[in-house]
Amino acid sequence: MIKSRLAVDIGASSGRVMAGWTTGHNLELKEVHRFKNGATLKEGHFCWDIDYLYEQIKRGIKASVEQGLNPTSIGINTWAVDFVLLDEHDHRLTEAVSYRDARTDGIMEDVIDVYGKEVLYERTGIAFQPFNTLYQLLAIKRRQPDILENAQTFLMVPDYLHFLLTGKKTNEYTNATTTQLMNAFTKKWDEDLLTEMGLPTHIFQDTHLPGTKLSPLKADLQRELGVSLDVILPATHDTASAIAAVPEWQTSLYISSGTWSLIGIENPFPICITKAMNDNFTNEGGVNYRFRFLKNIMGLWMIQEVQRLLPDEWSFADLAKESQTSTYSGKVDVDQRRFLKPDNMIDEIQSACREAEQEIPTSPGDLAKCIYESLAVSYEKAIKQIEETVERTYEQIHIIGGGSQNAQLNQMLADRTGKTVLAGPSEATAVGNLLMQWIAAGEIVSLEEGRSMIKQSFQVEEYQPQRSEQRYADKV
């Protein structure tokens, strides 16, 4: 009889409840429930519907029971930086406002002017992104100070969902590191920094590592859902879960490819030097206190938005196919803030090309070609920066996540860099989530054993450079 564990993997556009179990030295996965996600405008801000997400998690649990998968534990991972604040009665004082909301406009620049980049980076190791939790909290302090005065609890989105399941409050370590409020070296909340920023220290919880057994489901939920589950913390930041599932971490750079592209290496310590700061690399916490030294690149968000604006008959596969025959050669800088949440992505890409005095992409194939080539340029530039910083060369790039299935982009990257590109598993985030549950339960002994099992359980596609060309990072 199958006894499974449930990984709840929620991204910016969709969420899944995945069941996983071990059979000998193999890992098995089954999707039991899928649902849409997205930020919508509410009282002037783009917010996640966290109550809807909670209901979908419960539906996934019920579905796993109905399908005879006998779930025994569950863990939730989502994106980073976003949060809710609770009052003394554990009622929400805030919505779960999206990182793409404009409320932080200008806040980061003000902090840099007063505090300075170097000091902040040396302490936190976190790259300067306008949506970081630090700037979101300062936006509340500036515009709604009464909310901060009444706040008693800070919970990031997966922390809050775990709280709804268990009644237990905690801040999981990997996601907490993304806030720009933790000290990279002590691996704790930087209370001096919080005080200097005028933020309350008492609202933050003790951090717990991936693999921590948090609590069983609340009794009323057990009755409602007809099952008793242990809640086990995965790496609640989706990228941290995904990187835990990279089979060849010592020999490869990685790209966690989805709405965002996270490109980097796994390292035993943070790299908080000036070059890394200037190149806008971040040091986020990983499993077993390893660090994800990586760079955020806009990722497939751009093609997702283009596809959303096209007639319904255009699929992502159609766009990739059309891009193969497109002769368009223009590129844009995908890391410009203008692409974070434009009113119309097609118009924004065309405007960027017009300003750069390039041909304007008009057909769907030309737009896709522009995005893919621009992403490959940005990837190549980041790879060169990593290799310069750590003073070593990598021969392989391991792409994981949903974007690993984009054969066109994978081949472009192999051709541009002259490196072997390995693609898969596409479900790396859910696998990494489950891996920490299996380790916590003693079904798998270590991360290394789990990675070995991942390597033999999931197919990995290999892309070799197909043409010789001068390799360089374009200036766009």
Side-chain angles (χ1 to χ4, degrees):
M1 182 178 69
I2 292 173
K3 284 191 175 182
S4 70
R5 301 184 184 277
L6 303 181
V8 181
D9 174 23
I10 307 177
S13 59
S14 66
R16 293 89 49 80
V17 179
M18 305 285 291
W21 59 94
T22 60
T23 56
H25 292 288
N26 290 317
L27 309 177
E28 304 289 344
L29 274 184
K30 181 182 181 181
E31 181 180 298
V32 296
H33 182 54
R34 178 178 286 268
F35 50 94
K36 293 182 178 180
N37 189 31
T40 56
L41 199 60
K42 186 173 184 178
E43 297 181 0
H45 295 288
F46 284 96
C47 303
W48 308 105
D49 189 343
I50 204 160
D51 296 321
Y52 160 82
L53 296 178
Y54 178 53
E55 289 302 317
Q56 296 304 314
I57 291 168
K58 292 196 293 183
R59 288 190 185 185
I61 295 171
K62 286 182 178 179
S64 70
V65 173
E66 292 166 357
Q67 293 173 32
L69 296 173
N70 299 306
T72 57
S73 70
I74 188 170
I76 303 168
N77 63 257
T78 75
W79 59 94
V81 304
D82 293 343
F83 60 91
V84 297
L85 297 176
L86 308 183
D87 66 14
E88 60 182 335
H89 303 294
D90 294 334
H91 298 147
R92 287 203 308 265
L93 290 168
T94 62
E95 297 291 339
V97 178
S98 168
Y99 59 86
R100 294 192 188 276
D101 188 73
R103 67 175 174 169
T104 59
D105 286 356
I107 302 287
M108 181 182 74
E109 292 78 8
D110 291 345
V111 170
I112 291 171
D113 287 343
V114 173
Y115 202 87
K117 292 184 72 172
E118 290 80 3
V119 173
L120 196 55
Y121 191 76
E122 287 171 1
R123 289 168 70 164
T124 69
I126 296 300
F128 291 86
Q129 301 281 7
F131 47 71
N132 287 351
T133 311
L134 167 60
Y135 312 125
Q136 294 196 46
L137 285 167
L138 290 176
I140 295 174
K141 178 187 174 186
R142 178 178 292 184
R143 300 184 179 96
Q144 299 168 295
D146 57 312
I147 287 180
L148 269 186
E149 290 172 5
N150 292 318
Q152 294 298 316
T153 304
F154 165 92
L155 295 175
M156 303 189 79
V157 168
D159 297 331
Y160 182 63
L161 292 170
H162 283 140
F163 167 70
L164 293 178
L165 291 177
T166 65
K168 303 293 184 182
K169 301 175 187 176
T170 187
N171 293 143
E172 186 275 325
Y173 168 73
T174 65
N175 219 345
T177 64
T178 70
T179 61
Q180 210 172 11
L181 292 168
M182 289 195 78
N183 188 293
F185 298 93
T186 66
K187 302 178 180 68
K188 297 181 183 297
W189 296 113
D190 193 325
E191 293 196 1
D192 290 339
L193 175 60
L194 289 164
T195 300
E196 290 164 21
M197 294 292 174
L199 297 173
T201 60
H202 68 274
I203 64 175
F204 298 92
Q205 313 304 301
D206 291 337
T207 56
H208 287 86
L209 294 176
T212 299
K213 293 183 179 180
L214 187 60
S215 172
L217 290 183
K218 292 187 295 187
D220 60 332
L221 274 180
Q222 293 184 35
R223 291 190 295 271
E224 177 185 347
L225 302 175
V227 66
S228 175
L229 296 176
D230 287 326
V231 175
I232 300 176
L233 298 182
T236 64
H237 184 196
D238 50 11
T239 308
S241 273
I243 300 313
V246 174
E248 297 288 353
W249 69 274
Q250 290 180 310
T251 58
S252 302
L253 298 134
Y254 60 73
I255 300 177
S256 180
S257 180
T259 300
W260 288 92
S261 292
L262 297 309
I263 182 166
I265 58 173
E266 192 173 64
N267 212 48
F269 52 83
I271 305 174
C272 301
I273 61 176
T274 301
K275 174 175 171 46
M277 180 189 72
N278 290 339
D279 290 339
N280 212 27
F281 277 80
T282 198
N283 295 271
E284 296 174 348
V287 170
N288 296 346
Y289 282 132
R290 298 176 185 184
F291 284 86
R292 293 171 289 120
F293 180 69
L294 61 83
K295 189 172 192 176
N296 276 20
I297 293 171
M298 191 63 70
L300 297 177
W301 161 253
M302 294 177 69
I303 198 72
Q304 290 168 356
E305 281 293 281
V306 167
Q307 190 265 350
R308 183 179 64 84
L309 294 168
L310 293 173
D312 289 343
E313 62 267 19
W314 281 95
S315 68
F316 293 119
D318 293 333
L319 288 169
K321 183 178 180 180
E322 288 297 309
S323 74
Q324 292 177 347
T325 57
S326 169
T327 59
Y328 183 80
S329 60
K331 302 174 186 67
V332 297
D333 180 358
V334 296
D335 297 317
Q336 292 181 87
R337 193 167 173 178
R338 66 193 299 168
F339 298 120
L340 187 62
K341 191 170 178 55
D343 292 333
N344 184 299
M345 184 65 76
I346 294 174
D347 289 349
E348 202 65 42
I349 291 170
Q350 292 174 337
S351 295
C353 290
R354 188 176 298 110
E355 291 164 17
E357 299 182 350
Q358 298 183 121
E359 178 187 356
I360 309 301
T362 54
S363 72
D366 287 353
L367 287 161
K369 178 76 174 297
C370 178
I371 291 170
Y372 294 151
E373 288 282 10
S374 300
L375 284 172
V377 168
S378 187
Y379 292 170
E380 184 189 21
K381 180 180 178 182
I383 289 166
K384 293 178 74 172
Q385 290 170 335
I386 292 168
E387 293 181 333
E388 290 168 359
T389 298
V390 300
E391 298 180 343
R392 66 166 289 187
T393 300
Y394 293 86
E395 298 302 322
Q396 297 182 144
I397 306 165
H398 203 122
I399 303 180
I400 53 176
S404 67
Q405 300 175 86
N406 190 317
Q408 172 74 345
L409 182 54
N410 295 344
Q411 190 61 58
M412 282 182 179
L413 183 59
D415 292 343
R416 287 199 65 86
T417 61
K419 299 179 186 292
T420 299
V421 171
L422 304 173
S426 60
E427 299 290 355
T429 303
V431 174
N433 179 320
L434 290 164
L435 181 55
M436 298 315 299
Q437 296 186 54
W438 285 320
I439 291 172
E443 292 182 53
I444 294 176
V445 173
S446 65
L447 181 63
E448 286 67 31
E449 181 188 9
R451 281 173 160 165
S452 176
M453 294 172 72
I454 290 167
K455 187 176 181 180
Q456 69 183 38
S457 300
F458 298 97
Q459 183 176 359
V460 173
E461 299 291 337
E462 183 173 306
Y463 298 80
Q464 295 290 346
Q466 291 184 348
R467 63 175 182 267
S468 176
E469 61 175 290
Q470 180 182 359
R471 311 198 190 282
Y472 60 94
D474 296 53
K475 295 181 179 179
V476 296

